[in-house]
Amino acid sequence: MKLAFAAGVVLLAVAAPASAQTAAGPNDPKINQLIVYGDDPCPASTDEVITVCARRPDDDRYRIPENLRDTGRPANNSWANQAIELSYVGRTGIQSCSPSGPGGASGCFAELANAYRAERGGRDAVSWNRLIEAARQERLGKIDEQAEEDERRAKGEE
């Protein structure tokens, strides 16, 4: 049962970005998000496709991305972290997030907040939304310049 629920959550997580991309209008240009390394050139945008590039150091070209590296194995866990984990064994009471003892539930929020911070720290450092918005503004600036030039030409012909 839990496996089916987890599979459903993963399916929704994978399907959500795809459905968000198809929600764009038929006349909206497609967005191509790339990571380029070192001094590699970023492909030019076209009328149909906006290309947004995030630049990484050349040393990272053949490395596994940080968020995909296997750091969850016990062999990769430092002794300091293992000692911290052992300090929570048998802990009950206030700020413990345990069902026994008074105030045990008050520590559950702290655990959730710490887990959220750890998850946010593992995300990709690239702000794709900011890069896409900058590419859109650049594209709109070119369209505005072209429109002003067309208006000047049209007024000159009158």
Side-chain angles (χ1 to χ4, degrees):
M1 180 67 173
K2 289 183 181 180
L3 182 62
F5 177 74
V9 169
V10 169
L11 182 62
L12 285 175
V14 170
S19 65
Q21 290 177 354
T22 58
N27 296 332
D28 290 344
K30 294 180 182 177
I31 297 172
N32 186 17
Q33 300 173 342
L34 297 174
I35 296 177
V36 293
Y37 295 93
D39 295 329
D40 292 350
C42 181
S45 296
T46 63
D47 290 338
E48 294 84 26
V49 178
I50 296 176
T51 302
V52 179
C53 295
R55 192 161 299 279
R56 295 291 177 139
D58 199 35
D59 297 341
D60 290 349
R61 182 182 303 266
Y62 299 109
R63 293 200 64 194
I64 296 173
E66 288 182 28
N67 57 345
L68 297 178
R69 293 180 195 158
D70 186 17
T71 58
R73 293 189 348 215
N76 293 340
N77 201 357
S78 71
W79 283 102
N81 289 340
Q82 291 178 16
I84 290 172
E85 290 174 7
L86 288 175
S87 70
Y88 292 112
V89 172
R91 185 171 176 211
T92 61
I94 296 174
Q95 293 292 327
S96 66
C97 193
S98 68
S100 62
S106 60
C108 291
F109 177 75
E111 283 187 15
L112 286 172
N114 290 337
Y116 174 74
R117 281 190 207 104
E119 181 182 329
R120 291 279 300 182
R123 288 189 181 167
D124 194 9
V126 176
S127 174
W128 289 108
N129 291 336
R130 185 178 45 81
L131 291 172
I132 290 170
E133 186 59 32
R136 282 187 177 149
Q137 292 304 323
E138 179 183 339
R139 187 183 188 100
L140 287 175
K142 290 178 183 176
I143 291 172
D144 290 341
E145 290 173 8
Q146 183 67 31
E148 289 174 4
E149 184 180 321
D150 290 344
E151 284 184 30
R152 275 188 257 126
R153 260 193 262 134
K155 287 182 181 178
E157 292 175 2
E158 289 179 357

